[in-house]
Amino acid sequence: MKRALLALLALLFLSGCATSGYGHLPADQQADVHRIETYMNGVTGMRASFNQIGPDEGHSSGRFVYMPGHLRLDYVTPHIMELVAGDGHLVLDDMDSGAVTHLSLKRNPLGLLLHHPIRFDRDIQVTDVRRGQGSLQISVAEANNPSQGLLTLQFSDMDGKLSLMGLQGVDARQNRFSVSLNSVEEGVAFTPTVFTPPGG
């Protein structure tokens, strides 16, 4: 399970560099991207339950906690693990094996999402914007090498109000992952210690 999770984390770290952000998109899609930037930068605190499918089709679940610049995942199944990301680094504590893994968030979309403010331009290219019935999603990739991977953010879009509902990704070898969020709560206040890395 740990190897599959590390493979998933590698997929999350889709190196990103952009040609020209989203200026190449039609005006309505540019407006959607700007809405997403505004929404993500305005989230004061979010928590949800999550279900995750990894590259090996393995399933896991737990609690998702996010605020601009910080992310925490507390895994309940298949066993207890704690993942904390922020300040350019990610730490995963596998309490089943006792192993602690440290990874850098430099130059990848997940790292960008943990910056504040979030901006989908400069070194990141928006490759796709899609609207559905009550939904909106955006895909981002490395601008100067988009074939290296893709990260997609999925939102509900009801009455003009966005809410983050999931993440999907695919790497250069077509390995895929998905994280879906349920029972999302926004405006939640967290103490800084929630995002203290394991052993920190």
Side-chain angles (χ1 to χ4, degrees), residues 107-118:
R107 293 176 58 81
N108 62 72
L110 181 60
L112 176 66
L113 292 176
L114 295 179
H115 290 169
H116 190 237
I118 290 172

Side-chain angles (χ1 to χ4, degrees), residues 38-40 42-48 64 66 155-156 161-165 181 183-190:
T38 300
Y39 164 76
M40 293 298 293
V43 172
T44 56
M46 175 190 297
R47 67 184 171 199
F64 174 101
Y66 169 83
F155 303 86
S156 67
K161 177 177 172 58
L162 295 175
S163 181
L164 182 65
M165 297 301 293
L181 304 181
S183 303
V184 177
E185 298 178 68
E186 296 184 15
V188 181
F190 298 113

Side-chain angles (χ1 to χ4, degrees), residues 120-137:
F120 296 116
D121 62 4
R122 300 177 182 172
D123 293 336
I124 296 297
Q125 182 183 32
V126 176
T127 64
D128 190 37
V129 177
R130 296 189 183 185
R131 294 178 183 171
Q133 187 68 36
S135 67
L136 178 64
Q137 71 177 38

